[in-house]
Amino acid sequence: MITENLQNIQKELPEDVTLVAVSKTKPIADIQEAYNAGQRIFGENKIQEMVAKYEELPKDIEWHMIGHLQRNKVKYMAHFVNLIHGVDSFKTLKEIDKQAKKHNRVINCLLQARIAKEETKFGLPFTEIKNILASEEIIELKNITVSGLMGMATFTDDNEQLKSEFSSLKKLFNNLKNKHPQLSMLSMGMSGDYQLAIENGSTMVRIGSAVFGHRNYTV
Ligand SMILES: *Cc1c(COP(=O)(O)O)cnc(C)c1O
């Protein structure tokens, strides 16, 4: 089932859109099946869970942290994490930089923008994203690169609303890219809304249940 789901999604995705297979809560065997089908990028939202899976699985997997970050746990993944999607403060960037430095690495990060109307979703207001990217202090963080932006849309069937949320982020992304050419990734779109996200400029989709099936508990 997983193999078939992956193949169907891959067929749909434009060539320049990256698929992050979101494997949170799913067992090693499921990830191994996706790996055997050719998938190499996996997303997790809990640091300990990602570390445990990293240790058991092939080392050519790229691990993406997509969840809300607890700063005190960044150190556990700093030696291997490939991309951190959900950075929503300068303080967190600083902590990632500090931990990356210990391993002599540069860690790619995405700033999470607040696009949803829901109160429960994390993310930075657009003005704060601009301020962080333009700040003097960020130049001193040699062990991180802000390589793009990430956003989570409102959980809704209202396509017009989704479209407006995705396109507002795309517009911000395009504007900022002129000044900050290191921005190359725009992570938006999940199982329920990735087609719309792609139509509105996403370059990276984070898909869980449409690959692995429904999760037993919500996280
Ligand atoms: C769980 C999760 C996803 C994937 O959700 P699905 O609806 O299962 O595709 C994507 N992004 C984030 C940040 C998540 O936490």
Side-chain angles (χ1 to χ4, degrees), residues 74 78 95-107 143-144:
V74 168
E95 175 63 15
I96 298 167
D97 180 73
K98 181 178 149 189
Q99 299 302 334
K101 195 169 184 162
K102 292 183 185 165
H103 299 281
N104 207 11
R105 298 184 69 219
V106 175
I107 297 180
N143 294 80
I144 56 117

Side-chain angles (χ1 to χ4, degrees), residues 193-204:
D193 58 19
Y194 69 90
Q195 286 98 344
L196 263 175
I198 291 168
E199 281 168 29
N200 289 284
S202 170
T203 72
M204 187 174 273

Side-chain angles (χ1 to χ4, degrees), residues 22 24 45 66-67 150 152 189-192 206-210 215 219:
V22 175
K24 62 188 184 194
N45 73 339
I66 63 170
M150 180 267 214
M152 274 174 100
M190 308 175 27
S191 293
R206 309 175 309 270
I207 302 183
S209 43
R215 289 178 292 275
V219 278

Side-chain angles (χ1 to χ4, degrees), residues 3 5 8 21 23 40 57 61-62 68 76 81 84 87-88 97 105 146 154 160 176-177 184 187 202 205 208-209:
T3 302
N5 290 343
N8 289 336
S23 48
R40 290 294 180 275
L57 283 153
I61 288 178
E62 273 187 29
H68 184 68
Y76 301 120
V81 68
I84 301 178
V87 180
D88 65 358
D97 180 73
R105 298 184 69 219
V146 176
T154 303
E160 284 309 307
L176 289 172
K177 240 167 61 164
S184 64
S187 165
S202 170
V205 289
S209 43

